[in-house]
Amino acid sequence: MELPKEKQTTLGLYVTSKEAYNLWKSAPEKVKVLDVRTFDEYIYVGHAPMALNIPGFLQTTVWDEEKKYFTYKMNPDFVNQIKEVFQPDDTILVTCRSGGRSALAANLMAKLGFTNVYNITDGFEGDVETNPESKDFGKRVLNGWKNVDVPWTYDIDLELVKIPAEELPWSK
């Protein structure tokens, strides 16, 4: 099955959540998991226990009437935080909610010279059930880290969280 365009990356490196977990488990000292969802998504929806949270995008209060959601803006600290944490040849598995924002982040990282950045194509929550006959119609239950029987948590390890400066209370 071909990936939707919004989940494709310039590097063309892809894994599912289950594959990502197994790859990390095989070499946890070499393989890094990066969660680019907002800080709120990371703490309230849950996350992979080893995933470093560096939000690639920040939630806005601007409503997109066509798409029916609040828009995102680029995290102005993302590039600097990525460069502080990772080396260009690190193996980095990038996740978001369902594979779209992680693809954008992976493409940005490729432009910065990172060469081993994989998009976790089903993200943390997975894809939406589109069968109107299903009891789960409209819910993110088809795949995704949270739905494929790999460890996840709500617990916060402050060593794994990089909060963008503009979200810190004293930066207002």
Side-chain angles (χ1 to χ4, degrees), residues 16-19 122 142-150 152:
T16 64
S17 293
K18 186 80 152 181
E19 292 167 340
D122 52 346
L142 294 183
N143 46 35
W145 197 286
K146 199 171 188 178
N147 300 314
V148 296
D149 196 31
V150 296
W152 65 276

Side-chain angles (χ1 to χ4, degrees), residues 4 17 26-27 29-30 56 68 75 89 127 155-156 160-161 168:
S17 293
S26 72
E29 66 288 340
K30 294 181 181 177
K68 304 291 185 206
N75 170 7
D89 61 345
D127 292 315
D155 296 339
I156 302 300
L160 296 176
V161 176
L168 295 171

